[in-house]
Amino acid sequence: MAAASGTSPTIVEYFEGEDFYRCGYCKNETGSRSNGMWAHSMTVQDYQDLIDRGWRRSGKYVYKPVMNQTCCPQYTIRCRPLHFQPSKSHKKVLKKMFKFLSKGEFSKGNNEEEPMDSQMDDAGMHDFTLKSKLDIKSDQRPFSEDCHEIKESKMKEKEDLEPKETKMLNQAHAKQEKLGSGEPSSSVKVVPSTPKPGKGADLSKPPCRKAKDIRKERKRQKLILKSQTDQVQHEEKPKLNQPKSIEDFIFDTLPDKSAHQLEFTRFLCSSPLEAENPPNGPDCGYGSFHQQYWLDGKIIAVGVIDVLPYCVSSVYLYYDPDYAFLSLGVYSALREIAFTRELHEKTSQLSYYYMGFYIHSCPKMRYKGQYRPSDLLCPETYVWVPIEQCLPALENSKYCRFNQDTKAVDEERIKELDRLRVLYKRTIMPYNIYKKRQKGPSDEAIVQQYADLVGQTCSERMLLFRS
């Protein structure tokens, strides 16, 4: 996807070397290491390519962990929403929300099994200040207001099934009774003339048959009936046993007299990402959005997401701690997965949900691996590998190369540094021209490090600011 016409190019200011800071997971004072740059502006395609190389943004700061040196390696994780089915714990959160909204029922003291998985954990590790007030740039966009009424939906499925199933089974039962009476399966012509009493066979009755033949016929008809009944059950059971999707739980209508009302709105928000609205893109366009959760007119949570060419990327979530009993982190993630599936209906290439980083070395951060199917990004070759294949290796080592092909390399590794683009003295130029105009000591080592981290394609598209 090329940048839309009229949008500003990506302009970044790369910070030399590596940052050492306190780890928000293992609390090591200087154990966490990353490379970083400041994004003055960024296209959605450039950011998509960067997160597919292990980068992540917090506000305008974009950082990439030094995976083989940091104390808690952070692997980019993405969920495949088109094949996602909620787990038992996910359904429990959705049902808990429904009970609270419909009846006002809740339990504040039993949330240990459902961690408050705020994506703020990823951003907060850098001690960046999150805005408490929203920076709104566009009009309100209503999304959806209601949750599922689970019991009513189940009963409706059952009621829709019963008339058809009962009719077919009754017909089969009537046929069985008829066959059990000794009647043949095919009709027999009746001779109109009635024989004289005591002379010849009564042709108005079926011909006599041997008991052995009758038993064979009954056995055959029982097998036919069993086959028909099995077919009916095979056709109808999937409707009864079909697992509920997250949409089934979220988007159905609440009772008229529900105890609470949850509203969900979306606003375009301030971000380094340039908003784009191509005709073949999603209705909301590409860019960064605040997703607001309003309960009875009071805002209780705000999530930040980036809508990118191939994914919805969850940036962070902050919430009112008084409503932590609703497991808003889990609930918001499930709503964002449903939103991704909604966007996919119009924009087919947008089919992934990025959950930030998966930190296996921190048990409390393993919950993201419960959103299946999902993949982890190989930190050396930048290919996606199903998480099931990665977990055994992570049990043995914090840092792992997931790509099993030992000959595979980073396809985006820098081949021609001179083609890297630079913004120098308000002029855009390739790096080889910049080197000739540059005054002072050479900065080629810094530029080379930057290029290796962003890859060939991004280095040729983005503008590296040099003073």
Side-chain angles (χ1 to χ4, degrees), residues 56 117-123 314-317 332-333 353 355:
R56 182 162 169 78
D117 59 342
S118 168
Q119 282 81 0
M120 186 166 58
D121 290 335
D122 294 329
S314 180
V315 183
Y316 55 77
L317 171 82
S332 65
Y353 174 61
M355 297 177 282

Side-chain angles (χ1 to χ4, degrees), residues 163-423:
K164 182 180 178 182
E165 186 179 41
T166 303
K167 183 178 179 181
M168 295 183 74
L169 292 176
N170 286 340
Q171 288 175 346
H173 182 64
K175 185 174 182 180
Q176 184 182 32
E177 288 183 342
K178 187 176 181 181
L179 292 171
S181 67
E183 288 187 25
S185 57
S186 58
S187 61
V188 178
K189 292 183 180 179
V190 179
V191 180
S193 59
T194 304
K196 292 180 180 181
K199 291 186 178 181
D202 187 350
L203 297 179
S204 65
K205 295 182 179 180
C208 294
R209 295 184 297 167
K210 293 182 180 180
K212 183 178 180 181
D213 293 336
I214 293 174
R215 287 196 299 269
K216 285 184 178 180
E217 178 67 16
R218 286 180 178 175
K219 185 176 181 181
R220 186 176 71 85
Q221 294 300 338
K222 284 181 179 179
L223 291 173
I224 293 173
L225 179 62
K226 184 177 185 301
S227 176
Q228 291 173 340
T229 304
D230 289 345
Q231 183 177 359
V232 170
Q233 293 174 346
H234 178 73
E235 290 174 353
E236 301 296 345
K237 274 186 177 180
K239 293 182 181 179
L240 289 171
N241 298 331
Q242 186 71 27
K244 284 183 173 291
S245 68
I246 45 179
E247 289 86 355
D248 291 332
F249 286 102
I250 293 174
F251 297 128
D252 207 1
T253 306
L254 282 168
D256 292 335
K257 296 181 180 180
S258 58
H260 301 285
Q261 185 70 29
L262 181 69
E263 297 176 319
F264 186 70
T265 58
R266 182 173 301 108
F267 294 88
L268 194 66
C269 67
S270 179
S271 155
L273 299 185
E274 295 288 323
E276 299 179 21
N277 289 276
N280 61 341
D283 291 337
C284 64
Y286 298 111
S288 299
F289 297 85
H290 275 129
Q291 300 198 97
Q292 303 177 353
Y293 296 78
W294 292 82
L295 183 66
D296 301 332
K298 174 186 177 182
I299 192 165
I300 62 171
V302 178
V304 177
I305 60 168
D306 294 328
V307 179
L308 303 175
Y310 310 128
C311 73
V312 169
S313 174
S314 180
V315 183
Y316 55 77
L317 171 82
Y318 50 98
Y319 56 91
D320 186 336
D322 288 344
Y323 295 91
F325 66 92
L326 290 173
S327 300
L328 292 172
V330 176
Y331 183 76
S332 65
L334 296 173
R335 289 208 68 136
E336 288 168 3
I337 289 173
F339 179 53
T340 305
R341 299 209 293 210
E342 179 187 330
L343 298 183
H344 172 78
E345 292 180 4
K346 180 181 178 182
T347 311
S348 59
Q349 71 270 19
L350 202 162
S351 54
Y352 296 102
Y353 174 61
Y354 284 49
M355 297 177 282
F357 290 133
Y358 174 80
I359 303 100
H360 191 78
S361 58
C362 180
K364 289 185 178 180
M365 295 301 294
R366 294 182 185 179
Y367 66 88
K368 294 181 182 180
Q370 298 171 7
Y371 295 82
R372 305 280 182 95
S374 57
D375 310 299
L376 297 183
L377 186 68
C378 176
E380 295 181 7
T381 61
Y382 304 110
V383 298
W384 294 99
V385 180
I387 192 170
E388 294 86 352
Q389 298 178 25
C390 304
L391 295 180
L394 288 172
E395 287 294 328
N396 296 322
S397 175
K398 289 183 179 181
Y399 173 75
C400 298
R401 170 193 167 112
F402 300 135
N403 193 334
Q404 297 300 310
D405 182 358
T406 57
K407 296 182 180 179
V409 296
D410 172 16
E411 295 295 333
E412 277 287 302
R413 65 191 185 281
I414 289 296
K415 304 174 185 69
E416 298 181 56
L417 187 61
D418 285 347
R419 294 172 59 179
L420 178 144
R421 294 210 302 169
V422 174
L423 178 61

